[in-house]
Amino acid sequence: MSAAVTPAPARVLTPLVLLCLGTVYVVWGSTYFGIKVAIQTLPPLGMLAARFGVAGALLLLVLRLRGAALPTARQWAASAAIGTLLLGGGTGLVTLAERDASSSVAAMIIAVSPLFAALFGRLWGERTGGREWLGIAVGLIGIALLNAGELRATPLAAALLVLAPLCWTFGSQWSRHLPLPPGLMGSAAEMLTGGGVLLLLSLLMGERWGAPSAASLWALAYLTVFGSLLAYSAYMYLVAHTRPALATSYAYVNPVVAVLLGVGFGGEQLGTLGWAALGVILTGVLLVVWPRRAPTHPAGAGA
């Protein structure tokens, strides 16, 4: 069996990379609020199973109508591993935690994702530059300032929110070395297999479906179309084509979006310290996403 080919991380912020970054920055920042609304009357894991199952099936159908080939057995197996880690372990644990934690706290703790991504990236020989480490540190300081004195989560919820980015970032880095289906077919296969795992977990946990509210159904629709079909596909493109710290830099912007939604729609208040923290966070993001200087030695040179 041949080894999976890992694309070289992009050194230039191309228009497509910028578009994908903007998508995951804004859309995934809003999904924390969307999840909170959805699970008010929907079972957490069952809701996610429906979200990813429907999104994956729709994407697969569109791709097949356009002539894309179905994944091979080996590609389905790789997709199941990544779907389980990212959607079952990552998104699933966040959703369970949001039963006992505010959406802003969830976004805060998930902000450690770039740090975990950099550490896991080193397992496969990827180097994180000094400026990226500085950006990670600055971003974490900003997140701490943003939530100073406002931590509202049970110990179990906090533990789940720490485990979630471990699953997510390990799966993200591992995905670059597995034989996944090419392009959007990989996203479709991961959502279908991850949705299947979430459905199984929902059944094992004995979740029950009641009468959902209109708000929860609208939130589920938003999460399916924008959070899954659009943003998840954009994220997987970033994972395959950019540096780990850049691909996961959304974790610093997401809390900003989550807080602004809380202020605008949830009646939350943000003081002077909070607004200052947002500036610190954005500084950290800028340090991470600023393009690296191109190497001066000829391509391919080295030991």
Side-chain angles (χ1 to χ4, degrees):
M1 289 187 298
S2 60
V5 177
T6 303
R11 292 183 178 274
V12 179
L13 294 178
T14 65
L16 183 54
V17 168
L18 289 173
L19 178 62
C20 290
L21 282 172
T23 299
V24 296
Y25 281 1
V26 176
V27 174
W28 273 354
S30 65
T31 55
Y32 292 96
F33 182 74
I35 287 172
K36 197 73 174 179
V37 174
I39 63 176
Q40 287 177 355
T41 58
L42 291 172
L45 298 181
M47 181 275 293
L48 289 181
R51 168 187 171 182
F52 292 117
V54 171
L58 288 174
L59 185 55
L60 180 68
L61 176 61
V62 170
L63 293 173
R64 287 291 290 159
L65 290 175
R66 296 179 60 182
L70 285 171
T72 65
R74 187 168 175 237
Q75 290 173 333
W76 275 117
S79 299
I82 300 305
T84 299
L85 283 168
L86 267 64
L87 307 181
T91 310
L93 292 176
V94 169
T95 303
L96 289 175
E98 283 204 47
R99 296 177 301 180
D100 302 304
S102 67
S103 57
S104 62
V105 168
M108 174 199 73
I109 299 181
I110 299 303
V112 300
S113 294
L115 175 59
F116 289 155
L119 295 176
F120 287 136
R122 294 180 71 88
L123 294 177
W124 285 280
E126 297 180 11
R127 181 177 175 274
T128 299
R131 190 180 64 223
E132 291 172 328
W133 284 115
L134 177 61
I136 289 169
V138 171
L140 290 174
I141 292 171
I143 294 297
L145 289 174
L146 179 63
N147 292 271
E150 299 179 5
L151 185 63
R152 298 186 303 278
T154 65
L156 176 59
L160 294 177
L161 289 172
V162 171
L163 288 174
L166 281 171
C167 294
W168 183 273
T169 51
F170 178 76
S172 297
Q173 295 309 303
W174 191 23
S175 71
R176 302 175 67 171
H177 306 273
L178 290 179
L180 294 170
L184 291 176
M185 185 60 77
S187 297
E190 289 157 25
M191 286 191 284
L192 281 172
T193 53
V197 170
L198 287 162
L199 177 59
L200 178 61
L201 291 174
S202 175
L203 294 174
L204 290 175
M205 291 183 63
E207 289 188 339
R208 295 288 184 268
W209 289 73
S213 67
S216 291
L217 292 177
W218 278 112
L220 174 57
Y222 176 82
L223 293 170
T224 301
V225 175
F226 291 93
S228 298
L229 280 172
L230 184 62
Y232 185 74
S233 298
Y235 173 69
M236 294 311 296
Y237 177 86
L238 292 172
V239 167
H241 295 88
T242 66
R243 309 183 310 276
L246 178 59
T248 55
S249 61
Y250 68 88
Y252 292 149
V253 182
N254 287 173
V256 178
V257 177
V259 169
L260 292 178
L261 284 175
V263 171
F265 296 98
E268 298 179 4
Q269 299 295 321
L270 193 63
T272 303
L273 180 61
W275 290 112
L278 297 187
V280 175
I281 292 169
L282 293 177
T283 301
V285 173
L286 183 62
L287 288 169
V288 170
V289 304
W290 197 267
R292 291 179 177 176
R293 180 179 300 176
T296 56
H297 55 271

